[in-house]
Structure formats: structure tokens, C-alpha cells
Amino acid sequence: MQLLRILLAPKWLIVGLGLGMMLLLLPPPEGLSPVGMRTLALLVTVVIFLITEPIPLPATALLIAVGQAVLGLGEPNEIARSFLSDAVFFIMGSLMISVALIKQKLEVRIAFELLKRTGPRVEWIAFGIAATSAILTSFTGQHTVAALMLPVVLGIISAVEQDSPGARNLAILLLLSLTYGSTMASLGTPSGGARNAIIIDYWRQMFQMRVDYATWMAYAYPLLLLNLPFLSFILLRTFPPEEQDLRRALVRLRRDVRARGQLSSRDAQAIFIFLLILVGWVTLSGQLGLGMIALAGASLYLITGLVRWEDLNAGVNWGVVWLYAATISLGFRLQETGAAPWLAQQFLGLLGGIKGLGLLLTTSLLVIVFSNLVGGGPAVAVLAPITLQMAALTGQSLMAAGFVTALSSAFTYQTVIGAPSSMIVYGSGQLRPRDFLRAGSKLLVVSVIILLVLAWLYWPLLSVSR
């Protein structure tokens, strides 16, 4: 009886399993094979679990593997192989690199360089935080930058509060500059976020398209550069700071930062290895893949003793690795069983044959809604096979459809759970969920408009036809 109560307690667990079972009992609709119908049933259950979390997300990831085997969606060895793509190796390696960088406490150096360049005006400090977070995130990922920069920003806020207690708008301004700067910058390069590696993997495996590091930056980085000024403008108007000149606070903070000493040899080694990884991503990702280069970089940190395996084992969220691996595997299964093309046809039927910018806008909004609910990486893993098929069926650019899917998943400005940087900064206890909604809704509109303008006027100039 106790076991029954435990099983019945989470209502969304019952809803998810119940809807999945109902779909399994229904005959497949026209155009969808029985195995495709079983894949669709698994997808519905997984989406409900991702959104409502009736069980831990790593458990959902494991059930995706078990569900594929039980439903006969592939041979066990085939399912296992689908969990270890280059995108998964990239996610695993980049998380290890994040732990190695954080262990060196490089945030002190970042704070010194930031404050030395921005000066005391609050608008320039806010822009400096956003720009620094953006540039770092575009190459290292949100987890690393949020963890590095949060102590910097909290130190500035603490120094200000000694002279101006209760300056909440200023605190929100600086914290959201960090949050949104790193969130929007995760689209800038393939190494900026897991979603980027996932879409590159889909392009390669589904359509034999190869997109290297430089090509990705040519398409995506202008969106980041155009977004940054609007970010600062929107935040300053939404949360007008109580103080405009932070000269006294910054003098005190500079003194504290300088007291920490000069750059150590270990710091220099850590930076040098990361630069090697970055050069490898830029020059060799087309041949070796992002994942292998990331794992090579993590190995160098271990070999040089800058980080121990115990640190990596404790610092890497292995549940996140499993979640990405499972959702990517499910994405490929949607394609192989014909469920993704069938869903694409249904969406196109509902849209009434919409094409061009209208289709890209619809794709963007679909991805944004899903990403704000479950996060950008899982959203791209599940939706990309569908959005790419929608483009293929209508003769649209697969390149544009893939980039719109990946880049829109970075527009997770409205919810705390939409992006790793949002969750990390929210954990400081100084932000409320409605703070994200107030500024994020305005920033979302700007980001979508800039994305569509680039897709319409700029991307065609890059002369990649597919």
C-alpha cells in the first residue's frame, strides 16, 4: 500500500505515462508507421516529464534509453551508440574545462581588468559586465562564466551597499547584465552552448552538412553584437539605478582585488591551455569535432595537475550529460522512425503552407516557448529534427532553419529555468522571477526582430545554399 501511494503521488508522472499509453493503444494516423507512433508516444511522455519534473531529470534521461528498448525502437547496442555522439563528448568535455577554470579562481583577475577599464559610471559598469560575460560565454559556455562572474558582481554590489544600502534596482541591473549577457552570448560560437553542438550534429547526420567554427561565427556572432547595446538600454530603462557614480565603492573594491596578488604560474598555465583549446575549436573542429578537442583539453588540465579527477568527478553535473545524451538520442530516433517528418507535415498543415520569414518566425516562437520551459539544449534536441524537416519539405534553407532553431533557444530571458546562467545568478537570492519577466519580455522582442532581419538580409550574402 505504501508503495502504491508513492507511485500515485506525483500527478504529472501519471499524466505523462497515461498519455503515452493512450497513444500506444491508438492506431497510427495516415502517414505514420507503427514504430513512428511508438516513438511519438515516448516523445509525449518525455516532454511532459521535462516540463513538470515529476521525477529527477537524470531519471527521465535513463528512461529514454529504457523506453527505446522496451518499445522496440532500436537494438540495444544501437541505442547505446546513439548516446555517445560528438555533441555529448563536447558537453562532457566543456563541463570538465569549466571545473578546471573555476578551480583557479580567475574571477579575481577578471574583476580587476573589468573595473580598470569601465570607470565609475554605472551605465558603463553594467555594459562592461554584460560585454565581458558575453565574450567569455561565447567561447566557454554559460556555466563557467556565471560561476566566474557572479562573485565579481556580488562584490561590486556589496561595495556599493556600504555607501548606499537598499539600492535594489542597481543590484538587479548588474545581476541581469551578467545573466542576459551570458545567455544571449551562448549562441555566438559552437562552443558557446550544448545546443550549438547538437544542431551541428543533426546537420551532419541527417543531411550530410558540415558547419565549421568560423562559419557558425559568421552567421551567429552579428546577432550577439547587435543585441548587446539593446540589452544595456533596456535594463537601464527597466531598472533605473539609485546611484549613477560608484567611484567610492570601486576605489575600495580595486584595493581589495589588488591585494590578492599577481598572476600565478598556475593561472597562466590554465589560461594557456584554454587558449590552445580555443585554437583547436577554431581550426580543427571540422576534422576532429568539437567533442574530441574538448576532451583533449580536459585531459591536459589533468595531466598538468591543474585539476584532479576527484575535482572533475565532484564538479561535473553528470546528470546534465545524461540528459543531453538522452534527448539527442531521442531526436535521432524521431528522424529514423519517420516521426519527425510526419510531425513536420502536421505543423505545416496547421500553418497553411507558410514559407519564408513566416516559417522562420513560427519556428523561432515554437523553440522560444519550449526552451523557456525545459532549457535550450533539450529543446533543440527534441525540436530540431522537426524544424529541419519543415524546412526540407517546403524547400527552405536548411542552414537558416537550423540557425533559427539553435539561436532562438538562447532567447530564454523570461524564466529562471530557461538557462544555466539564470539559475546560477538566481541562486544568489537577490532576484525574483518577475524581474526576469519585466526585462526579458522586452529583450525577447528585440532579439527576434534582429534575428529575422539577419535571416532576411545578411545570411543570403554568406553564399551557403543549403
Side-chain angles (χ1 to χ4, degrees):
M1 183 63 68
Q2 180 66 23
L3 177 61
L4 181 62
R5 280 197 294 269
I6 293 174
L7 291 174
L8 292 180
K11 64 178 181 180
W12 288 110
L13 177 63
I14 300 171
V15 170
L17 293 175
L19 286 176
M21 290 296 296
M22 286 177 58
L23 288 175
L24 289 175
L25 295 175
L26 293 173
E30 183 179 356
L32 186 63
S33 66
V35 68
M37 186 68 172
R38 296 197 296 273
T39 308
L40 188 60
L42 179 60
L43 173 66
V44 169
T45 300
V46 166
V47 168
I48 292 173
F49 284 3
L50 289 174
I51 294 174
T52 62
E53 292 190 57
I55 59 176
L57 291 181
T60 299
L62 298 178
L63 288 178
I64 290 174
V66 175
Q68 290 184 52
V70 170
L71 296 175
L73 305 184
E75 295 295 326
N77 284 337
E78 180 188 356
I79 296 169
R81 282 192 295 270
S82 70
F83 269 64
L84 287 178
S85 64
D86 183 69
V88 175
F89 282 141
F90 165 75
I91 295 162
M92 188 186 306
S94 62
L95 290 175
M96 292 178 179
I97 293 168
S98 298
V99 173
L101 290 174
I102 292 170
K103 186 174 175 60
Q104 308 311 313
K105 301 186 182 300
L106 294 174
E107 71 274 4
V108 176
R109 311 299 167 189
I110 296 170
F112 178 77
E113 294 301 325
L114 173 65
L115 299 178
K116 188 167 65 174
R117 285 165 172 76
T118 60
R121 296 296 299 174
V122 68
E123 60 268 24
W124 284 109
I125 294 173
F127 181 78
I129 290 171
T132 302
S133 302
I135 293 170
L136 291 173
T137 297
S138 65
F139 295 104
T140 64
Q142 295 183 58
H143 297 83
T144 307
V145 174
L148 283 171
M149 290 295 293
L150 183 58
V152 175
V153 177
L154 291 177
I156 295 174
I157 293 171
S158 176
V160 171
E161 288 180 342
Q162 294 184 40
D163 298 310
S164 305
R168 186 169 189 277
N169 270 9
L170 177 63
I172 297 173
L173 169 66
L174 299 184
L175 288 169
L176 287 184
S177 295
L178 160 59
T179 304
Y180 290 152
S182 58
T183 298
M184 66 172 53
S186 63
L187 55 82
T189 70
S191 58
R195 63 175 72 86
N196 307 340
I198 291 170
I199 202 74
I200 289 174
D201 226 18
Y202 281 154
W203 270 325
R204 179 176 59 84
Q205 296 204 36
M206 292 172 60
F207 300 101
Q208 292 73 56
M209 295 171 55
R210 292 189 176 273
V211 175
D212 60 22
Y213 207 96
T215 301
W216 184 286
M217 288 188 67
Y219 272 80
Y221 224 85
L223 176 60
L224 166 60
L225 297 178
L226 292 171
N227 256 331
L228 273 175
F230 287 103
L231 165 61
S232 293
F233 178 82
I234 289 171
L235 288 180
L236 284 166
R237 295 304 181 275
T238 307
F239 302 103
E242 295 85 353
E243 295 288 333
Q244 297 294 331
D245 192 310
L246 309 187
R247 194 178 308 273
R248 288 179 298 173
L250 293 186
V251 167
R252 184 184 302 111
L253 192 58
R254 281 195 184 99
R255 190 187 313 123
D256 294 340
V257 169
R258 286 170 175 166
R260 300 289 294 270
Q262 299 299 314
L263 189 72
S264 71
S265 60
R266 289 177 64 87
D267 293 336
Q269 288 179 37
I271 294 171
F272 178 72
I273 291 174
F274 176 72
L275 291 176
L276 282 180
I277 297 168
L278 180 58
V279 171
W281 276 333
V282 173
T283 61
L284 299 174
S285 61
Q287 294 79 34
L288 301 180
L290 292 168
M292 294 304 170
I293 296 170
L295 291 180
S299 299
L300 281 176
Y301 281 114
L302 284 167
I303 293 169
T304 55
L306 293 172
V307 68
R308 301 177 305 159
W309 175 254
E310 291 77 10
D311 300 321
L312 298 182
N313 194 38
V316 172
N317 188 335
W318 297 105
V320 169
V321 176
W322 273 106
L323 179 62
Y324 281 125
T327 51
I328 293 169
S329 173
L330 180 58
F332 285 130
R333 201 66 61 210
L334 287 168
Q335 173 67 17
E336 293 170 359
T337 61
W342 183 85
L343 284 170
Q345 289 177 333
Q346 306 314 304
F347 278 122
L348 290 173
L350 292 173
L351 296 175
I354 191 171
K355 295 183 180 181
L357 282 180
L359 180 60
L360 294 181
L361 174 60
T362 304
T363 297
S364 178
L365 295 178
L366 174 66
V367 173
I368 289 168
V369 170
F370 204 80
S371 298
N372 272 284
L373 293 174
V374 304
V380 170
V382 172
L383 293 178
I386 301 169
T387 60
L388 290 173
Q389 282 294 338
M390 288 168 62
L393 290 170
T394 56
Q396 305 297 302
S397 167
L398 294 173
M399 189 74 82
F403 271 112
V404 167
T405 300
L407 304 189
S408 297
S409 70
F411 302 160
T412 50
Y413 310 133
Q414 296 77 42
T415 63
V416 175
I417 65 172
S421 57
S422 299
M423 290 186 283
I424 291 171
V425 175
Y426 180 73
S428 68
Q430 301 207 33
L431 293 176
R432 300 169 187 166
R434 64 172 176 267
D435 297 329
F436 290 86
L437 192 60
R438 284 180 62 191
S441 57
K442 304 169 188 174
L443 188 58
L444 171 64
V445 174
V446 172
S447 296
V448 172
I449 291 173
I450 295 176
L451 174 62
L452 293 178
V453 170
L454 290 175
W456 178 34
L457 298 176
Y458 170 63
W459 290 353
L461 302 178
L462 298 178
S463 68
V464 179
S465 58
R466 294 194 67 175

